[in-house]
Amino acid sequence: MSKTVLLQGNEAAVEGAIAAGMRFFAGYPITPSTEIAERSAIRLPEEGGKFIQMEDELASIAAVLGASAAGMKAMTATSGPGFSLMQENIGYGAMAEIPCVIVDVQRVGPSTGLATSPSQGDYMQAKWGTHGDHPVIALSPSSVLETYTLMVRAFNLSEKYRTPVIFLMDEIVGHLREDVSLPDPNSLIINRRKLSFHDGANKQCYYVPEGEYVPAMKPFGQGERYNITGLAHDESGFPINDHDKAGKLINRLIDKVEHNADHIVRVEQYEMDDAETAIVCFGGTARSVMSAVQAARAAGHKVGMFRPITVWPFPDKPLRARLPQLRNILMVEHNHGQMLLEMQRVAGRDVPVHFLGRVDGTVISPDDVLAKLEEMEG
Amino acid sequence: MPSELIHRYMRIDHLPQIWCPGCGNGTIMRDVAAAIQELIDDPEKDINRDNIVIVSGIGCSSRAAGYLDFNSIHTTHGRAIAFATGIKFANPKLNVIVLTGDGDCSAIGGNHLIHAARRNMGLTVIAFNNNIYGMTGGQYSPTTPDGDVATTAPFGNVDRPFDIANLASGAGASFSARGDVYHVRETIDIIKEAIQHKGFSLVDVYSVCPTYYGRKNHKGSAVDMLRWQKENLIPTARYYSMPEEERAGKKLIGILSYNDYPEYTEEYAKLVKAYRKKK
Amino acid sequence: MKDRLELRFAGSGGQGVILASVITAEAAVLAGLHTAQSQAYGPEARGGVSRAETILSREQIWYTRVTHPDFLLALTQTSLDAYAGQLADDAIVMIDDSLTVPAELDPDRVIAIPILHTAETVVGRAFTANIVSLGAINRLLGLFDDDTLLTAVKMHIPRGTEELNRTALQAGAALITTDQFRKEFQAC
């Protein structure tokens, strides 16, 4: 651990990314994510990296994918409206299997909404924002320190599975400054995409050996003249109209995430061992829930917090393991009930799922959570 | 039997291409391959095959990326220049060539075109300009002349057309040129110049679309459309030797504007070097 | 000091209340405390109501927002009126002496001092009002060593303005003549 410093969540996102090897940032200013671009503009030249402010978010994500195809670890950062604009090319990244990280510091929507106020209204968009069936990995930090460490993981997952990773922040954490002791960058495990093509099938660029999910990826300019396309393609990387091959491709893209969910999924469970009520939340909402759980415990209630850190794929398995002990689930999120739908899917008829949400741009306080718990008891 | 050029620089397994008989796109693709071949074969030029990256968007034009045997990336509609910007900036030693269409680069991707031109990002953009959206079946594009007919302009196009070469030059492109599919030799030479140009270069290559644009607007066969190009698109030397009154209604084939603004990735590298030295 | 202190800084955009809040958090880190700093602001870069919050704590901070501030700094009437009603029972309020104290505040808990005037005339730069405020707050509440606060200030100001800001801190401290609240805070 290094010495303790004061750091903002948005700044920690940049520092974590740089520690993970991010050396290319393309973005467009938008509140409340702009500090990520500003810090990248200062820090990347220091690290031998590249920063560019593009003409819009459509261009930003495209430039990031281009830079990644040329071999760099690349990132962009935006907020709601910009995240909407990026969706088409997030799907391209999933289809062409180009690693990158997209930070979305959520704000209140729809439309321009409340630019400076916190929200978690992009949870479902992170999964279903781009058209078509596709894999999604999305991570959501709840503190400044976790923003740093989780960003390293975001790049690692992106490189390992060759897919865009959504880093779903909220204004609560993005604009929060806290005292943090960052880990020594040399102590971090850093993954890199497999750079030389798999043997077999004439070393085709999208060839995946039996039992594996991820093709290797060689940067442009190293003597392999291969093709990348957003059209359905075969192992050679060229467009096809063969439905068997197209189905095989799209299923593999989804399977590489779903079948590796045990590796990808992380949750935090606090006071869950004997909990009869689980409060589920993600991102900055956890700060209110933690305080509420402590207060509820102090008053003798068997309450715990279950926090998906990996928010996509949804942590079905660890949550299911908790269901037998639970009498109640309370979903708390700063939206109109988005993760709630996943909760209801997993909890089914076994455990009743209650909901506390907010869409007005104010933060749900611990008192709000306690009042809701009381209402549930009553 | 495919020519040597096709053997060396095209992906024969993926030919024949999907374009209609008479389409000008195949000619432009061949011009691009010929320009690259002549540059690679010229020992005085520092052009390396492995460093060439072909980037395309969506539309008829953009299928060319799949047929050319280089690093190639077929991106999303309108975004080719933005992808190319990322590739070039990430690795400035690459020769990044964007193959795009009139709709791809001047409608949905118009913003990226003007901003890459403004930045003077070291890309070469070849616009396959056929005055129509061909892939979707003949809708009017930003280069469809006013009054012309398309499936979405059944009573005539009300919009005024863009001149893509002038648009790029107005946005600050340091190299802007026009080619066509009739004047093959001239167009190959223009593309060679564009590739060698350090900053942003754009070549607006007039293609022909007999299937949709030509048929809808009674332009005759592909041969008739090429004849129109022969008579109305005039290479530089002849254009400037023509009396002023004869130039009316005709367009220049050649380099329209040129300057030596500093190239973006070089400027950024300089900036970083100076900053690190100061630190 | 109490185990947890909630401080709110309010004023108009451009007065630097967010920076004052950030510097307080920076000083807290230097002093080995836990801290959480956040802000709420409108779309205006200048004008509008600007509010920033710093929590200081001996223990890890979970909920990061201020609910019942132990201390409020208000530099404009609008911000004072907006936040006067949300204070802890024994809260201390520091205001610029040009402001009118709302009836709901206990006058004995309000310190009205010429912050803006001091910045303008004594320090000679109106934009140092936030640093003048910090000097006054620290003398009033005794949160940090003077050196710690000065170090924190230096981490957030442009190079070449160190002397100006040191003067501003001292001028702010000089506005405080009572040690009643400091004793109260230390006793907590």
Side-chain angles (χ1 to χ4, degrees):
Chain A
M1 289 291 197
S2 60
K3 76 178 175 93
T4 305
V5 293
L6 183 71
L7 201 63
Q8 192 194 46
N10 282 345
E11 295 170 344
V14 176
E15 294 305 323
I18 287 173
M22 184 272 286
R23 292 294 180 273
F24 186 98
F25 184 99
Y28 186 79
I30 184 167
T31 305
S33 76
T34 307
E35 293 85 359
I36 298 177
E38 289 175 336
R39 194 169 178 104
S40 296
I42 297 169
R43 291 283 288 117
L44 284 172
E46 292 175 355
E47 301 290 338
K50 318 272 172 94
F51 169 89
I52 186 168
Q53 182 171 309
M54 296 299 287
E55 51 275 17
D56 54 31
E57 289 89 347
L58 305 163
S60 301
I61 179 71
V64 159
L65 292 168
S68 182
M72 287 185 116
K73 289 189 181 178
M75 171 170 108
T76 186
T78 187
S79 182
F83 191 49
S84 294
L85 287 174
M86 289 183 183
Q87 291 302 329
E88 184 192 9
N89 271 331
I90 293 174
Y92 184 91
M95 184 61 141
E97 299 181 79
I98 302 179
C100 65
V101 172
I102 299 113
V103 184
D104 173 21
V105 187
Q106 301 164 88
R107 64 189 235 183
V108 178
S111 189
T112 315
L114 291 166
T116 58
S117 299
S119 162
Q120 298 180 312
D122 301 350
Y123 174 68
M124 279 295 174
Q125 190 185 17
K127 169 72 176 164
W128 299 114
T130 197
H131 59 280
D133 290 296
H134 55 276
V136 169
I137 298 175
L139 312 177
S140 186
S142 72
S143 72
V144 174
L145 177 61
E146 192 181 48
T147 300
Y148 179 94
T149 54
L150 198 57
M151 181 58 87
V152 174
R153 188 143 201 274
F155 273 95
N156 283 348
L157 293 173
S158 174
E159 293 285 318
K160 183 176 170 67
Y161 295 108
R162 273 192 72 172
T163 196
V165 169
I166 312 292
F167 200 72
L168 202 60
M169 293 177 69
D170 48 53
E171 198 270 352
I172 299 170
V173 174
H175 275 169
L176 173 67
R177 287 182 180 83
E178 288 189 288
D179 51 299
V180 291
S181 300
L182 299 179
D184 175 359
N186 297 320
S187 72
L188 302 169
I189 295 166
I190 305 295
N191 289 353
R192 185 119 180 73
R193 62 193 79 163
K194 186 173 168 4
L195 287 167
S196 58
F197 295 142
H198 290 289
D199 288 332
N202 299 321
K203 287 204 167 215
Q204 290 193 324
C205 59
Y206 283 94
Y207 171 73
V208 179
E210 197 62 38
E212 290 189 36
Y213 293 96
V214 189
M217 183 173 185
K218 211 164 184 182
F220 279 165
Q222 298 194 352
E224 308 281 345
R225 295 189 301 273
Y226 66 100
N227 187 54
I228 300 177
T229 179
L231 285 165
H233 47 272
D234 62 14
E235 291 175 338
S236 70
F238 288 96
I240 46 156
N241 272 321
D242 177 324
H243 296 290
D244 285 344
K245 286 182 175 174
K248 200 176 148 206
L249 166 68
I250 293 160
N251 282 317
R252 176 177 64 76
L253 295 179
I254 295 167
D255 288 350
K256 76 177 172 183
V257 170
E258 300 294 330
H259 291 187
N260 287 296
D262 286 348
H263 173 253
I264 297 165
V265 166
R266 290 277 189 284
V267 297
E268 181 191 10
Q269 305 201 42
Y270 177 73
E271 298 277 16
M272 282 300 295
D273 287 351
D274 64 342
E276 294 174 356
T277 298
I279 309 182
V280 182
C281 61
F282 66 99
T285 311
R287 308 303 288 260
S288 311
V289 170
M290 276 297 258
S291 295
V293 167
Q294 286 167 1
R297 280 277 167 183
H301 301 288
K302 291 189 170 175
V303 176
M305 178 181 80
F306 183 98
R307 175 172 73 94
I309 297 170
T310 305
V311 294
W312 292 113
F314 190 73
D316 287 29
K317 215 169 158 182
L319 184 63
R320 281 218 166 90
R322 287 292 176 195
L323 293 180
Q325 76 188 62
L326 296 175
R327 284 197 300 125
N328 268 317
I329 292 172
L330 172 60
M331 181 72 227
V332 183
E333 52 186 332
H334 286 87
N335 57 44
H336 204 262
Q338 297 192 12
M339 191 179 272
L340 175 67
L341 300 170
E342 290 297 298
M343 286 303 307
Q344 288 168 334
R345 177 180 63 76
V346 176
R349 291 183 186 157
D350 302 341
V351 184
V353 181
H354 302 261
F355 177 64
L356 174 62
R358 188 168 289 177
V359 292
D360 63 0
T362 61
V363 179
I364 295 169
S365 72
D367 286 348
D368 296 331
V369 178
L370 292 167
K372 182 72 192 181
L373 285 174
E374 208 164 297
E375 181 195 313
M376 285 158 55
E377 291 298 321
Chain B
M1 186 62 191
S3 70
E4 190 210 339
L5 175 70
I6 289 173
H7 253 299
R8 274 175 69 187
Y9 294 110
M10 292 191 196
R11 290 159 166 157
I12 296 166
D13 293 353
H14 298 277
L15 297 173
Q17 23 85 344
I18 63 163
W19 296 311
C20 308
C23 174
N25 289 356
T27 308
I28 304 173
M29 178 170 78
R30 190 191 173 283
D31 291 350
V32 171
I36 293 171
Q37 167 168 265
E38 289 176 21
L39 289 171
I40 289 175
D41 289 349
D42 184 342
E44 286 179 17
K45 309 287 184 199
D46 184 25
I47 303 280
N48 175 333
R49 180 174 193 168
D50 288 338
N51 286 344
I52 291 173
V53 179
I54 307 287
V55 186
S56 70
I58 294 292
C60 291
S61 64
S62 297
R63 289 304 181 104
Y67 304 129
L68 290 168
D69 194 7
F70 302 96
N71 300 290
S72 59
I73 177 165
H74 174 225
T75 69
T76 44
H77 198 21
R79 314 300 160 218
I81 292 172
F83 272 82
T85 294
I87 294 167
K88 177 70 183 180
F89 193 24
N91 185 356
K93 79 170 203 285
L94 299 175
N95 282 102
V96 183
I97 301 170
V98 177
L99 306 183
T100 179
D102 40 312
D104 197 49
C105 82
S106 75
I108 189 168
N111 205 26
H112 312 312
L113 171 69
I114 60 174
H115 286 280
R118 174 180 64 82
R119 287 185 193 108
N120 204 26
M121 187 62 66
L123 312 173
T124 302
V125 177
I126 312 292
F128 292 43
N129 182 355
N130 62 0
N131 315 97
I132 201 91
Y133 285 95
M135 189 65 94
T136 45
Q139 298 74 35
Y140 68 98
S141 86
T143 63
T144 304
D146 45 318
D148 277 1
V149 171
T151 60
T152 46
F155 314 115
N157 177 24
V158 180
D159 290 16
R160 285 190 300 159
F162 266 145
D163 178 321
I164 296 175
N166 282 341
L167 174 66
S169 141
S174 56
F175 181 110
S176 169
R178 192 181 293 124
D180 67 11
V181 291
Y182 176 78
H183 298 92
V184 166
R185 186 62 247 169
E186 288 87 345
T187 300
I188 292 172
D189 287 340
I190 292 166
I191 294 172
K192 278 171 72 178
E193 290 294 326
I195 292 171
Q196 292 176 87
H197 179 71
K198 218 169 213 168
F200 182 88
S201 57
L202 174 125
V203 188
D204 179 10
V205 186
Y206 285 22
S207 188
V208 292
C209 174
T211 301
Y212 291 115
Y213 177 73
R215 190 164 50 85
K216 287 242 169 234
N217 291 289
H218 313 293
K219 302 287 182 187
S221 67
V223 174
D224 294 328
M225 294 178 81
L226 285 174
R227 187 174 297 118
W228 182 90
Q229 288 200 345
K230 178 188 176 188
E231 286 162 4
N232 293 283
L233 303 177
I234 316 293
T236 314
R238 191 150 64 82
Y239 186 83
Y240 286 112
S241 67
M242 279 164 78
E244 191 87 29
E245 59 276 14
E246 276 184 36
R247 288 188 208 160
K250 303 203 185 322
K251 281 201 162 180
L252 172 74
I253 293 297
I255 297 166
L256 305 184
S257 67
Y258 175 91
N259 63 57
D260 53 4
Y261 290 137
E263 194 271 334
Y264 183 94
T265 62
E266 287 191 358
E267 284 303 289
Y268 189 86
K270 270 192 227 160
L271 207 79
V272 169
K273 208 171 157 192
Y275 167 76
R276 293 176 109 176
K277 214 168 169 184
K278 213 173 90 188
K279 274 201 98 183
Chain C
M1 200 191 98
K2 284 189 192 178
D3 283 345
R4 178 184 168 108
L5 271 184
E6 299 189 351
L7 315 177
R8 177 171 284 165
F9 304 77
S12 162
Q15 283 183 319
V17 294
I18 293 177
L19 183 60
S21 168
V22 171
I23 290 171
T24 305
E26 193 74 71
V29 172
L30 297 174
L33 294 169
H34 291 293
T35 187
Q37 190 282 325
S38 60
Q39 53 273 314
Y41 51 91
E44 309 91 343
R46 296 289 179 268
V49 176
S50 178
R51 180 187 92 198
E53 300 171 347
T54 305
I55 300 172
L56 310 179
S57 174
R58 296 196 193 285
E59 283 162 19
Q60 184 160 11
I61 298 165
W62 296 113
Y63 185 54
T64 62
R65 300 283 163 132
V66 161
T67 42
H68 300 292
D70 301 287
F71 174 82
L72 169 68
L73 168 75
L75 293 181
T76 61
Q77 192 69 46
T78 320
S79 62
L80 176 61
D81 295 344
Y83 300 119
Q86 305 172 0
L87 302 169
D89 289 341
D90 57 350
I92 301 162
V93 179
M94 179 186 283
I95 61 171
D96 186 71
D97 66 357
S98 62
L99 309 185
T100 309
V101 181
E104 61 201 293
L105 290 182
D106 173 0
D108 291 344
R109 310 292 292 175
V110 178
I111 314 294
I113 49 173
I115 296 168
L116 303 177
H117 179 76
T118 301
E120 211 161 315
T121 59
V122 180
V123 186
R125 291 282 194 280
F127 64 75
T128 60
N130 56 346
I131 307 297
V132 171
S133 303
L134 283 176
I137 293 166
N138 202 38
R139 178 63 59 87
L140 184 76
L141 306 179
L143 299 173
F144 315 110
D145 292 343
D146 286 350
D147 282 350
T148 303
L149 182 59
L150 181 63
T151 307
V153 168
K154 283 181 179 169
M155 291 167 74
H156 291 272
I157 55 170
R159 212 173 288 170
T161 64
E162 292 85 355
E163 268 318 298
L164 181 73
N165 283 288
R166 185 203 299 271
T167 308
L169 279 177
Q170 286 167 351
L175 297 173
I176 303 300
T177 51
T178 172
D179 61 0
Q180 175 203 339
F181 297 108
R182 189 168 7 155
K183 282 183 179 156
E184 195 181 291
F185 259 60
Q186 304 301 342
C188 283

